[in-house]
Amino acid sequence: MRKIGIWTAVACCVLAVAGESYAGRSNTGCGIGTIIFEGKEGLLSQICAATFNGSFGNQTFGITSGTLECERASALVAHEKLNKFVGDNMDNLAMDISQGKGEYLATLAVLLDVPVEERAELYKRLQANFSSIYPSEDVTHIDVLNNIESVLSAI
């Protein structure tokens, strides 16, 4: 019985030291808990903040509304079909955008709800901005969507 008490005390000391070593960084994300416990980086504060953030859907509300210190996803990234299409066809779409024509570019225009009479202009604009849409080989589909949105919003 005495050994169990010693091991329990050792385990508590290890957890306390581990908790202090992580206390300097925030792991709670966004939400009402983050706002309430802002500036408090202790383990207990982070646990309480994460619990509040996960309660009552306030973090979901913050993400969808861009409030509670959450960033709202861009409109294009939030478009599920468009997100999946670009993610699944990065290379083919890059090739079509660089050429200013192609099946994948046409599908992109459909998913963006661009009227047929305006698609030629879209293709030209995307082709002209290819290097800003695909700035490197390591670009992600989320980056591509954000870059396309930036190009289109600059009209």
Side-chain angles (χ1 to χ4, degrees):
M1 189 68 161
R2 188 172 178 190
K3 287 183 179 181
I4 292 174
I6 292 172
W7 282 110
T8 302
V10 168
C12 288
C13 289
V14 168
L15 289 174
V17 169
E20 282 300 315
S21 66
Y22 285 105
R25 64 178 215 224
S26 179
N27 299 316
T28 60
C30 62
I32 193 75
T34 300
I35 293 171
I36 292 171
F37 293 97
E38 186 171 358
K40 298 174 182 158
E41 296 295 328
L43 180 62
L44 183 60
S45 297
Q46 288 189 27
I47 290 170
C48 290
T51 302
F52 273 92
N53 287 344
S55 301
F56 311 111
N58 75 78
Q59 194 171 40
T60 304
F61 172 76
I63 292 169
T64 56
S65 65
T67 59
L68 300 176
E69 298 188 4
C70 298
E71 288 186 29
R72 188 178 191 172
S74 77
L76 293 185
V77 172
H79 190 296
E80 189 174 327
K81 285 183 180 177
L82 187 59
N83 200 349
K84 180 165 180 29
F85 172 76
V86 173
D88 291 345
N89 300 291
M90 287 280 288
D91 294 337
N92 293 326
L93 185 61
M95 180 125 18
D96 282 4
I97 290 175
S98 70
Q99 296 172 354
K101 62 180 180 181
E103 176 184 343
Y104 294 93
L105 190 53
T107 302
L108 179 70
V110 170
L111 291 173
L112 289 171
D113 291 327
V114 175
V116 174
E117 62 274 6
E118 297 176 15
R119 290 182 186 169
E121 182 60 35
L122 171 72
Y123 301 159
K124 281 185 204 173
R125 181 174 294 277
L126 293 178
Q127 184 182 23
N129 291 287
F130 177 80
S131 61
S132 62
I133 295 170
Y134 285 90
S136 72
E137 291 181 12
D138 299 330
V139 69
T140 67
H141 74 284
I142 300 295
D143 295 331
V144 169
L145 285 168
N146 286 328
N147 295 338
I148 289 173
E149 188 171 28
S150 295
V151 167
L152 297 179
S153 66
I155 297 176

